[in-house]
Amino acid sequence: MSVPDRHHILAETYQKQFIAEGKCVWVHDKEEGKQFPTQPKNSTVRTGFNTALLPDGSFDKASMETFFSTLETEYAQIITQFRSGFQTSKRIGYAIAFMQFQAARSPLVRRFMTDLLLQLTPDDERLLKVLQVENVGIELLRRARAGDVDAKTKIGLHSTKHIVDGVSNALKGLWYRPIRLCSPMPLVTSDNPVIYFSVKRQNGKVQTGLPFEGSRVLCFFPMAKDILLFGDTERPPLDKLMNDRPSQISNSIALVKRLNAVSAINAERSIVAPSETSLKRTMSSIAKKTASVSTLLEMYNQLAKAALYVTSEHWK
């Protein structure tokens, strides 16, 4: 039996939670500048994206796909439970793990890890062997330095565990909760779906930046068109700490609108939306923006303001 070599960046079962009607999501392709409806099985797919290089020089198309597929089996059930209004520690733990591994599938995150390794690892292959770098790693570094784009992707793939550990460390100490959104505007997602940053108030103004030790960090992961996994390092009131209780409901249009805009501008290539209307609204909100540091920080500021307001309403 042949093993498929077309691999999803965004899990198929994940994308299905963004379907509004029928069997299709709407996708904006940044590279081609096109918008079109398609089934999740054909969305955010790339050939060999999760294919690993083995020590004997052969390719393993199945292992990572099988691992990700195993992780995805309970996803629809989790969303159904969150939509029913109940959250448990076990279900939230699963959602966090799913988010971390979905972050590791992001092409931008993989590319960042590859660029970091290329900067930090020595060029001398003899020294790499002394440092006990496996032959597979040495071969991929050699190809990447020669400009092989596929090798750069595979370095990120082989670094999945390190990426997950890095995301986990960056987001440690956060308190997570699912938010059920009753906004007329649905959430969208992208091939870089996890958003997090530090936030503080200075002179009465909200300021955002890179997360660092001791800072207050906010995290956003659109789990479905109407479910947001939200994390915050600020400890909830003591009488609100139980996870096994009804989840939050919000009708904040500002939160959805600002999160959608950030999701779209942070995407490497693909933005996935429930409908043509929601996709066009999202893309029009960033039509005149470029992903510069100043633009991103201003958009994070606006998102943080909306999130902090929703949080303050929840803990009243």
Side-chain angles (χ1 to χ4, degrees), residues 164-311:
V164 172
D165 288 345
V167 173
S168 178
N169 287 332
L171 300 178
K172 65 183 178 182
L174 272 73
W175 299 85
Y176 288 94
R177 67 180 188 273
I179 301 177
R180 290 177 287 161
L181 294 162
C182 297
S183 164
M185 182 182 296
L187 288 172
V188 307
T189 190
S190 79
D191 54 20
N192 188 29
V194 182
I195 299 161
Y196 57 94
F197 47 79
S198 68
V199 60
K200 65 179 180 180
R201 289 189 182 275
Q202 188 167 343
N203 300 324
K205 295 183 178 180
V206 171
Q207 293 186 347
T208 56
L210 294 174
F212 56 88
E213 183 114 15
S215 64
R216 183 178 183 180
V217 176
L218 305 182
C219 177
F220 307 80
F221 176 54
M223 295 191 70
K225 64 181 183 293
D226 56 344
I227 303 289
L228 169 66
L229 183 66
F230 175 69
D232 186 352
T233 48
E234 186 166 288
R235 188 183 181 94
L238 288 175
D239 61 336
K240 308 285 188 179
L241 285 178
M242 289 297 294
N243 282 325
D244 302 345
R245 60 188 185 82
S247 56
Q248 179 181 4
I249 299 176
S250 174
N251 59 3
S252 174
I253 296 175
L255 177 63
V256 173
K257 183 177 179 180
R258 292 169 186 177
L259 179 55
N260 284 353
V262 173
S263 294
I265 203 166
N266 272 349
E268 187 231 19
R269 178 171 177 173
S270 301
I271 297 96
V272 177
S275 66
E276 182 180 17
T277 299
S278 58
L279 182 59
K280 286 186 174 180
R281 285 179 178 174
T282 297
M283 298 314 300
S284 67
S285 71
I286 63 166
K288 298 181 180 180
K289 298 181 186 296
T290 56
S292 65
V293 173
S294 59
T295 297
L296 288 173
L297 289 178
E298 178 55 33
M299 293 176 72
Y300 289 168
N301 287 349
Q302 296 302 316
L303 175 57
K305 288 176 185 177
L308 293 176
Y309 178 79
V310 168
T311 294

Side-chain angles (χ1 to χ4, degrees), residues 2-9 45-68 104-105 110 114 136 140 143 148-160:
S2 64
V3 180
D5 60 357
R6 295 174 73 249
H7 302 151
H8 284 87
I9 296 170
V45 172
R46 293 188 191 173
T47 301
F49 186 70
N50 289 324
T51 298
L53 179 66
L54 297 178
D56 64 1
S58 63
F59 294 100
D60 179 1
K61 300 178 183 179
S63 294
M64 288 303 294
E65 279 290 287
T66 300
F67 171 77
F68 286 135
R105 291 164 81 158
R110 287 188 183 179
T114 298
V136 170
L140 287 174
R143 293 184 189 181
D148 187 330
V149 175
D150 183 58
K152 291 183 178 182
T153 298
K154 284 181 171 44
I155 289 174
L157 172 64
H158 282 263
S159 304
T160 295

Side-chain angles (χ1 to χ4, degrees), residues 88-161:
T88 66
S89 301
K90 182 179 179 180
R91 295 303 195 196
I92 291 177
Y94 173 92
I96 294 168
F98 186 93
M99 173 188 73
Q100 291 172 346
F101 277 98
Q102 187 58 74
R105 291 164 81 158
S106 163
L108 287 178
V109 173
R110 287 188 183 179
R111 191 181 304 157
F112 173 80
M113 174 61 79
T114 298
D115 290 343
L116 190 64
L117 288 172
L118 289 173
Q119 289 177 27
L120 297 179
T121 53
D123 294 336
D124 191 331
E125 293 184 6
R126 293 170 298 178
L127 182 55
L128 290 174
K129 291 180 178 179
V130 170
L131 295 172
Q132 299 184 334
V133 176
E134 295 181 355
N135 289 335
V136 170
I138 294 174
E139 176 62 22
L140 287 174
L141 286 168
R142 182 190 301 131
R143 293 184 189 181
R145 288 194 170 107
D148 187 330
V149 175
D150 183 58
K152 291 183 178 182
T153 298
K154 284 181 171 44
I155 289 174
L157 172 64
H158 282 263
S159 304
T160 295
K161 181 181 182 302

